[in-house]
Amino acid sequence: MQISKAIIYGTIATWLGRRSDEKKTHSWICYVRGAHNEDLSYFIDKVIFVLHSSFENTNRVVSQHPFVIAETGWGQFDIIIKIYLKGDYDQPLVTVHPLKLYQNQTQNIPLTRKPVVSEQYDEIVFINPKPELLEILNAKPNYENNQVEEEAQVDQKEPDFEQMTPAQILKYNQPYFTIFDTNESKATIEKAIQIVSQDILADYKRKNHQLDTEIQELQIEYENLQNKLSQTQQ
């Protein structure tokens, strides 16, 4: 048995303007979330974000939804993300995501307050999970905890990202990934293979019948030539 769970991890960074501190030019968040912003805490126990050594408390532990941290800084670096699963799993799943602060590294591109989103889609695959873990994985994710407070006008044209909480920023920046149903895709592929196989077999039978016909005609022609040769010799 194989069960896959889709996750998205990444960063969202916002430039704080020209008057910002030279060591705090950007505010940014790093997160692990569901493909549809659902609460993943039903199968994820905690997430540890390991930051650059220049930060205080480099290991940021988040044990509840949403799995997100917020910071300010000026430099880009790789963030180590450790995902601890519920059930009989002692070792975390480890991935690395680069913090992206700029839309383009070219110096002549002007900075804007538009958030820089850098996300990556992945799937956690469970193979033959134990019964207790299987029950957890089959549970329905909670979408209720993903509601944004009414006072946060995330649908306005120019939202104030500096005043928004990490959860509100996540809500505003919806993921744009197409999620494929692996079972449905497998069934579609198998059906396509069956159709192609039938076409190939039919074409093979048609060609085989054509060759049999040609062989029979050649056999008849050969026998006729043999008869004519015998008559000539007589």
Side-chain angles (χ1 to χ4, degrees), residues 43-96:
F43 74 91
I44 291 181
D45 183 52
K46 64 181 177 181
V47 177
I48 298 180
F49 301 89
V50 183
L51 307 184
H52 189 269
S53 58
S54 59
F55 286 85
E56 294 183 3
N57 182 21
T58 56
N59 291 278
R60 306 292 175 86
V61 182
V62 183
S63 301
Q64 60 184 8
H65 172 83
F67 298 106
V68 56
I69 61 169
E71 261 296 349
T72 57
W74 60 272
Q76 301 180 128
F77 60 93
D78 290 337
I79 301 175
I80 300 173
I81 303 174
K82 299 180 179 180
I83 303 174
Y84 289 81
L85 305 174
K86 290 186 176 180
D88 190 17
Y89 287 93
D90 296 328
Q91 298 299 320
L93 301 175
V94 181
T95 186
V96 178

Side-chain angles (χ1 to χ4, degrees), residues 5-23:
K5 294 294 181 180
I7 64 169
I8 294 174
Y9 53 89
T11 58
I12 301 176
T14 305
W15 181 49
L16 297 178
R18 299 187 183 280
R19 296 184 180 182
S20 62
D21 187 299
E22 62 178 4
K23 292 186 177 181

Side-chain angles (χ1 to χ4, degrees), residues 118-174:
S118 174
E119 292 188 323
Q120 185 167 338
Y121 172 88
D122 207 340
E123 290 186 359
I124 301 175
V125 180
F126 299 85
I127 299 176
N128 297 325
K130 294 182 178 180
E132 57 271 19
L133 179 58
L134 181 61
E135 184 178 354
I136 292 174
L137 296 175
N138 286 331
K140 293 183 179 179
N142 184 10
Y143 292 88
E144 295 180 359
N145 292 337
N146 194 36
Q147 299 299 321
V148 177
E149 295 85 347
E150 293 182 0
E151 61 269 19
Q153 300 296 324
V154 296
D155 57 345
Q156 58 184 315
K157 293 183 179 179
E158 296 182 357
D160 188 352
F161 294 101
E162 295 179 42
Q163 302 301 320
M164 294 166 64
T165 66
Q168 291 166 354
I169 295 175
L170 280 178
K171 178 66 176 179
Y172 183 83
N173 294 277
Q174 293 286 343

